[in-house]
Amino acid sequence: DAGVIQSPRHEVTEMGQEVTLRCKPISGHNSLFWYRQTMMRGLELLIYFNNNVPIDDSGMPEDRFSAKMPNASFSTLKIQPSEPRDSAVYFCASRGMGEKLFFGSGTQLSVL
Amino acid sequence: DAKTTQPTSMDCAEGRAANLPCNHSTISGNEYVYWYRQIHSQGPQYIIHGLKNNETNEMASLIITEDRKSSTLILPHATLRDTAVYYCIVRVENGQNFVFGPGTRLSVLP
């Protein structure tokens, strides 16, 4: 298995632009998590899905952030409009029936 | 999920055992202790987890005190590649949340 696949690997955009981050979980995994990591705040859980349904989005910072999981093999995290304070590394992770959480390589987002 | 407390940073000599402590004094009876690590610029990686018995796998050993209020992750022969941030997490098995604290930054020195 190729593991959790995230794209793009790096994203540089200007303030006010829409940003879409993509994630393909490991096949057969039924839980998917989006995290954000910054030096100041560490690794923060934004939202997680179970069987494609959002379970807890209390970590989503504000209405500019939205996440979808239209099917078991794909999820997106969208920021519209983006702001410089959104600059961070965004990780996607998935989990199957076991207890291990598998992370992708992350998307390094820079909002200028 | 119970809160954990870990030292901010630790050093360890290459080839020696690295012992990383974690306090979780408010842990509940059905909560497990999990360890993950994050090597620079990569996503976190699962290491080991346990309930009350000591656990060992190919990566590390997990020692949980009898009262379960603290635990220690042991890397028996640390290498330079073990330099990473190590996270201790306490949660209910099959619970949904994985909440990461600041972790311990382990530096393995040559």
Side-chain angles (χ1 to χ4, degrees):
Chain A
D1 198 317
V4 176
I5 300 173
Q6 291 186 245
S7 64
R9 193 76 171 86
H10 302 276
E11 176 81 31
V12 181
T13 190
E14 292 186 347
M15 182 174 62
Q17 296 298 307
E18 177 180 293
V19 175
T20 300
L21 310 181
R22 297 173 176 79
C23 176
K24 176 178 169 54
I26 292 173
S27 177
H29 282 192
N30 60 354
S31 296
L32 184 140
F33 303 75
W34 281 100
Y35 287 87
R36 176 174 70 175
Q37 186 168 39
T38 61
M39 288 292 292
M40 291 296 295
R41 301 174 68 91
L43 202 57
E44 302 174 277
L45 178 62
L46 300 178
I47 185 171
Y48 67 88
F49 295 82
N50 195 38
N51 293 323
N52 311 337
V53 176
I55 302 300
D56 184 356
D57 65 354
S58 60
M60 296 285 262
E62 49 197 274
D63 291 345
R64 297 185 297 107
F65 286 69
S66 62
K68 294 182 179 180
M69 193 165 186
N71 57 62
S73 60
F74 184 65
S75 176
T76 60
L77 178 67
K78 186 174 294 186
I79 308 172
Q80 166 63 19
S82 59
E83 297 181 2
R85 59 192 170 123
D86 301 330
S87 298
V89 180
Y90 291 81
F91 287 104
C92 174
S94 70
R95 181 173 73 102
M97 296 304 295
E99 284 298 295
K100 296 180 184 180
L101 201 58
F102 293 84
F103 282 79
S105 299
T107 295
Q108 174 76 59
L109 174 65
S110 297
V111 183
L112 307 178
Chain B
D1 292 336
K3 185 176 179 179
T4 62
T5 304
Q6 299 177 253
T8 302
S9 63
M10 293 180 62
D11 291 340
C12 176
E14 186 179 17
R16 305 295 295 269
N19 298 288
L20 293 96
C22 179
N23 287 324
H24 31 79
S25 59
T26 60
I27 191 171
S28 300
N30 62 344
E31 287 181 316
Y32 284 67
V33 180
Y34 296 79
W35 284 85
Y36 281 74
R37 74 179 182 183
Q38 186 175 22
I39 296 171
H40 179 62
S41 79
Q42 300 180 20
Q45 173 193 25
Y46 168 87
I47 301 173
I48 198 167
H49 77 283
L51 181 64
K52 52 184 176 181
N53 297 324
N54 297 337
E55 302 287 344
T56 296
N57 63 21
E58 66 279 3
M59 291 181 69
S61 294
L62 174 59
I63 307 298
I64 303 173
T65 58
E66 192 169 342
D67 63 8
R68 303 207 325 120
K69 292 185 177 182
S70 66
S71 61
T72 301
L73 178 75
I74 301 173
L75 307 178
H77 304 287
T79 71
L80 299 178
R81 288 176 296 180
D82 292 322
T83 292
V85 177
Y86 287 77
Y87 300 97
C88 171
I89 302 165
V90 172
R91 60 184 285 276
V92 176
E93 189 179 41
N94 293 322
Q96 296 293 345
N97 264 341
F98 277 90
V99 178
F100 289 77
T104 296
R105 183 173 298 277
L106 174 69
S107 297
V108 180
L109 307 175

